[in-house]
Amino acid sequence: MSTPSFSRPPSTRSAESVPRAKGNGKTDAELGDNVVHDAVFGELSGGGPNYRNLSTMGAWVLISKANIGLGVLSLPYVLHILGLVPGLILLVTIAAIIAYCAAQVGSFKLRHPEVYDLADGGLVVGGRPLKEILYFFFYLYMITMVSSAIVSVSTALNAVSAHGACTAVFIAVSAIMGLLLGSIRTLDKVSIVGWAGLVSLAAALLTLTIAVGLQDRPPDAPKLGPWDKDLHVVAQPTFAKAMSAIASIVFSFGSTATYWNVASEMRNPRSYTKAMLWSVGIITVVYCVIGGVVYGYCGRYVASPALGSAGPLLKKICYGIAIPALVGSLTIYGHLAGKHIFIRLLKGTRHLASNSRVHWMTWLGCMFAGTVISYIIASAVPNFGSIISLVGAFVCPTVAIWPYNLMWWHDNWRYASPERRRNWRLRAELALNIFLFVLAFFLTAGGTYGAIMDVIETTSDAGPWSCDDNSHSV
């Protein structure tokens, strides 16, 4: 086993020292399919999958689709809990924090090209113990997200079909779809599914926004007579409810851990930061507009998820339009969960980037195992929405915030010369990273407390492998 790279200063490895393919000095983007060696995937040839063929636009699509899903539909209710002004301020603030931390992925990957995922970054900074801690949190996050996506697809199928079959059947069908599409081996091919998902989600959100603006009143409002929206410009929630709402915002931006995989498969990893910043910026605008408009029209009668605020018919239409988007999320997270294990098992062997029998058996085995685990969780856990909130509050700050503060410290302060440490800008950024590191643990503690209180207060009549309609359409 080689000595972890945290034993030497990163300053000896500039961004320009990223291993390139043998191609007469050409850049990764110019080489394209001719890349023959990669620090993660090893020898790449025409006989196996090209893991370094993801374009900048493809990266933008995957980053965007990994973040934006039906999670956006919980934001109108979050604004009701926090109040419109504090909610929007917190949304933009958290987006800025996540973007700052996510930017460390690009610079860290360039300095340490052997890093594939969050756990590998932990190995560089803190050795094997930190690697295994981050590996556990990342895989817990991924499996939970796959389970959530399975439930979301089954909910859409229930809504569109007016509960045309037992929900357990729809969950099984969703899991099979995730297995088949997630088994595509490279992210440049998966990005095609991401494009379809983004287009369908945009159409569904536009339909929802127009519907709530044109309808006389939300379905949950009084059927006759006047009704009060009870809009909160500034609300006064309890600590538990406020932290649970903030955790929902963090969850809506919390897919930073998947960005490592995206950067690792890009033809030109130097374009990662540009793709990420454009993605987070556009997503933040979408979140603010959709959340503010839907809450403004529905007030306290906003549903969560917000598709229920458009009435029974529009709810069915919106869910139907959004099915490709939900399947897209399921595909991306299922693919990355399987590849996470796959690369750990085969990294450093000739089978990783070949078409050998070992390669295919390992790849399909990892995909099948991850799908089965996610299917069991999706089917067996009552109050799954509350469990998602709990895991999101407990896991998201770990996969999206504090590890990146340690990585900044490792690359910019740990081995910095005394002269550089006296630079006031560097000291100010160190203070910022320390603040964000502490904030992450506060969000974990407070969000977990709020989510636990929500689990305690929420009841469900549905048991494991229930046939009950999880879309509440009938």
Side-chain angles (χ1 to χ4, degrees), residues 87-424:
L88 292 177
I89 291 175
L90 281 169
L91 198 154
V92 173
T93 301
I94 290 172
I97 291 172
I98 297 296
Y100 174 79
C101 293
Q104 303 305 321
V105 174
S107 58
F108 199 83
K109 173 66 180 175
L110 292 177
R111 291 188 177 100
H112 310 276
E114 74 280 6
V115 169
Y116 170 70
D117 55 24
L118 178 62
D120 286 345
L123 178 65
V124 173
V125 174
R128 180 68 61 177
L130 184 58
K131 173 177 180 174
E132 298 303 335
I133 290 172
L134 294 180
Y135 193 91
F136 167 78
F137 275 97
F138 175 79
Y139 199 70
L140 176 61
Y141 172 75
M142 295 302 296
I143 287 296
T144 306
M145 291 301 293
V146 176
S147 303
S148 173
I150 290 174
V151 172
S152 296
V153 174
S154 72
T155 302
L157 294 176
N158 258 325
V160 171
S161 67
H163 192 40
C166 173
T167 295
V169 173
F170 283 140
I171 287 179
V173 170
S174 303
I176 293 171
M177 283 195 291
L179 174 62
L180 294 177
L181 291 173
S183 294
I184 300 170
R185 288 187 292 172
T186 59
L187 283 179
D188 65 303
K189 301 295 193 300
V190 173
S191 66
I192 298 173
V193 181
W195 274 112
L198 275 184
V199 171
S200 74
L201 185 61
L205 294 177
L206 181 61
T207 303
L208 169 68
T209 305
I210 294 174
V212 297
L214 294 179
Q215 68 184 359
D216 176 59
R217 62 188 68 201
D220 292 338
K223 304 302 180 185
L224 299 173
W227 59 286
D228 182 14
K229 294 181 182 180
D230 191 25
L231 294 174
H232 294 160
V233 176
V234 178
Q236 295 180 327
T238 64
F239 176 77
K241 285 188 175 296
M243 291 307 303
S244 181
I246 292 172
S248 295
I249 299 176
V250 175
F251 187 79
S252 298
F253 288 100
S255 64
T256 308
T258 66
Y259 301 173
W260 294 98
N261 313 78
V262 172
S264 293
E265 295 200 29
M266 291 182 70
R267 287 197 294 263
N268 183 10
R270 292 165 184 78
S271 298
Y272 155 80
T273 302
K274 177 174 66 175
M276 182 275 297
L277 291 176
W278 271 104
S279 173
V280 174
I282 293 172
I283 286 172
T284 303
V285 172
V286 171
Y287 283 179
C288 289
V289 172
I290 298 298
V293 170
V294 174
Y295 176 58
Y297 278 111
C298 298
R300 62 173 171 167
Y301 297 106
V302 66
S304 184
L307 289 181
S309 300
L313 177 60
L314 267 299
K315 175 182 177 180
K316 181 180 294 188
I317 293 173
C318 289
Y319 265 119
I321 296 173
I323 285 179
L326 302 178
V327 173
S329 295
L330 176 58
T331 300
I332 292 170
Y333 280 103
H335 172 93
L336 294 180
K339 188 173 281 185
H340 192 61
I341 301 295
F342 171 71
I343 289 182
R344 179 159 187 172
L345 293 175
L346 294 186
K347 189 174 182 179
T349 73
R350 66 179 180 85
H351 300 291
L352 180 59
S354 72
N355 286 324
S356 67
R357 180 178 299 180
V358 172
H359 170 98
W360 277 108
M361 290 178 63
T362 306
W363 170 238
L364 296 178
C366 290
M367 286 299 304
F368 180 78
T371 301
V372 169
I373 294 172
S374 301
Y375 164 74
I376 292 173
I377 295 174
S379 299
V381 180
N383 294 338
F384 193 75
S386 298
I387 298 299
I388 286 292
S389 298
L390 176 59
V391 174
F394 182 66
V395 174
C396 277
T398 296
V399 299
I401 302 179
W402 68 260
Y404 309 92
N405 308 133
L406 291 180
M407 292 172 192
W408 180 92
W409 165 79
H410 175 81
D411 275 359
N412 296 279
W413 184 270
R414 190 178 194 178
Y415 297 109
S417 65
E419 293 78 14
R420 187 162 180 257
R421 287 189 178 188
R422 286 193 287 269
N423 184 303
W424 69 268

Side-chain angles (χ1 to χ4, degrees), residues 13-80:
R13 311 177 65 182
S14 68
E16 293 300 316
S17 68
V18 179
R20 297 180 184 275
K22 303 168 187 175
N24 300 322
K26 293 181 181 180
T27 66
D28 292 336
E30 293 169 330
L31 287 166
D33 291 339
N34 295 320
V35 175
V36 296
H37 183 78
D38 181 80
V40 172
F41 301 106
E43 298 298 322
L44 301 175
S45 65
N50 185 356
Y51 290 114
R52 289 292 305 279
N53 198 37
L54 182 64
S55 67
T56 302
M57 282 302 298
W60 176 83
V61 168
L62 291 172
I63 290 171
S64 300
K65 191 65 202 76
N67 260 323
I68 189 169
L70 283 188
V72 63
L73 300 175
S74 67
L75 295 179
Y77 184 73
V78 167
L79 296 181
H80 176 65

